[in-house]
Amino acid sequence: MKKELTRQQYLDLYYYMRLNRAVEEMMVKLFRQNKIVGGLYSSLGQEAISVGTAYALEKKDWLAPMIRNIGALLVKGVRPRDVFMQHMAKYDSPTKGKDGTSHFGDLDNLHIVSPISMLGDLIPVMTGVAMAGRYLGQRIVAMTWIGDGGSSTGVFHEGLNFAAVQKAPFVLILENNLWAYSTPVRKQVPLENLADRAKAYGIESYIVDGNNVLAMYSTAKEAVEQARAGEGPILIEAKTFRRMGHAQHDPAEYVPKEMRAYWEARDPIALYEKFLTGENLLDAKGRKEIEEKINALLAKERDFAENSPMPPPEFAETGVYCSGDDCHKIRAKWERPIAEVTPPRSSVEAVWTVPGFGSGKGSGGAHAPIHFGDTQPAETKPAEAGKSAVKAPARAAKKTVKAVPASASRKARR
């Protein structure tokens, strides 16, 4: 489903991708000046994913970024100064200098859940957020991201299964950037498309060119609308490439030069500039104006961040644990009558029989019979029933199963 955008929306996508890259370039300079105290992770070449997917969300929707999703934060409304100060551990940062990386959020206004370092853990968390929004009648969608390596964690599968069972309004973006730190995808997953993992949980999935911001936006927009309509969670695999190492300390010398050159020629910003120029949506003057706007903004934001003080030493012992309203004054925002979700209207009749228990939907879309054992029970006289029950396993043991080649299995499913 193609989404037609206004001229301003086309330019918004361009602006946020350029801002995403410029913010990270500024942080590299700060890192080399020893002004950033934590780790620094680059999304160079992946800006279209963060920007395109986050732009598909509404203001009321929730997201939880990973370390390479600064673009999503900017689209949601996070100021560059907050990103700078967070990495510089300044007192005016969102965490008041208590974290030197990207672990911050905004629950009250921007609906951002802080990143979790244990990859995959955001999936069940955001499933819970999505379910809570549905319970409160808010009609929200929750979104988070995961990498190719993170999709091999147990909590990825547990969380996605939970989201599927609950039909949560949840969208998961799987960034397949070909490297889990220094491990190539082919050595960690025996799949060509990681989107195939959605089949195990009976949910929809998409495969998208992660370097095409319009493809990312239109696909994410469709997925968000489907999730909001109650059709359950959706997995989107974005094919892309991590053009820098895992972090600033990693020179990524394990990446073949030919691979890097191939993907550098597919830079998402350069590809989008070509599209905008061809559609007469951007010219040299417009591009210069956007560059000047971003440069002026970041100079101001950098100065503010550098002039922010470091936190006082005595502040270290405060805020370690949430102590209630003096820490976070968060209340449920009901947008439906509470009576709908409380007894007696919420009560349901107990059911212990399941219609259609004898069949289940197979991976090929057809119905596959559920059976127990490999042999049909023999018809026996009452007096012989005991002997038959003993002999049945022996007869079953003689039965052989012919192996089916993998290729034939795939054809059958089609």
Side-chain angles (χ1 to χ4, degrees), residues 224-287:
V224 166
E225 291 177 356
Q226 289 179 353
R228 200 185 310 278
E231 297 182 25
I234 295 172
L235 172 66
I236 300 175
E237 179 188 359
K239 305 276 192 180
T240 186
F241 177 72
R242 195 192 71 204
R243 283 169 54 183
M244 299 289 286
H246 176 71
Q248 282 294 311
H249 64 270
D250 174 21
E253 295 176 349
Y254 44 81
V255 178
K257 294 181 180 179
E258 298 79 9
M259 175 183 281
R260 186 183 303 281
Y262 171 83
W263 283 97
E264 286 177 348
R266 300 195 70 256
D267 182 276
I269 295 179
L271 291 175
Y272 193 48
E273 281 183 352
K274 185 177 180 180
F275 167 82
L276 294 175
T277 302
E279 296 293 322
N280 295 319
L281 295 168
L282 181 70
D283 55 19
K285 180 182 177 183
R287 183 166 53 190

Side-chain angles (χ1 to χ4, degrees), residues 271-306:
L271 291 175
Y272 193 48
E273 281 183 352
K274 185 177 180 180
F275 167 82
L276 294 175
T277 302
E279 296 293 322
N280 295 319
L281 295 168
L282 181 70
D283 55 19
K285 180 182 177 183
R287 183 166 53 190
K288 184 178 180 181
E289 289 176 352
I290 290 175
E291 288 178 356
E292 292 175 347
K293 178 181 178 180
I294 291 175
N295 290 337
L297 171 66
L298 294 191
K300 180 181 178 181
E301 298 290 274
R302 179 202 61 210
D303 290 344
F304 184 95
E306 290 195 284

Side-chain angles (χ1 to χ4, degrees), residues 188-210:
Q188 56 161 316
V189 182
L191 293 172
E192 180 178 354
N193 299 311
L194 300 182
D196 288 347
R197 291 185 148 166
K199 294 179 182 178
Y201 310 111
I203 64 174
E204 296 292 326
S205 64
Y206 297 87
I207 299 173
V208 191
D209 179 358

Side-chain angles (χ1 to χ4, degrees), residues 8 10 39-40 42 53 66 91 111-112 120 141 145 173 191 265 279 323 355 386 394 397:
Q8 186 57 52
Y10 280 118
L40 186 59
S42 172
T53 53
M66 290 203 307
Y91 184 65
H111 299 165
I112 299 172
V141 173
W145 293 259
I173 313 300
L191 293 172
E279 296 293 322
S323 54

Side-chain angles (χ1 to χ4, degrees), residues 134-156:
R134 180 174 61 193
Y135 184 78
L136 296 170
Q138 295 176 353
R139 288 184 57 79
I140 63 165
V141 173
M143 176 183 289
T144 191
W145 293 259
I146 192 70
D148 46 272
S151 72
S152 295
T153 61
V155 73
F156 168 91

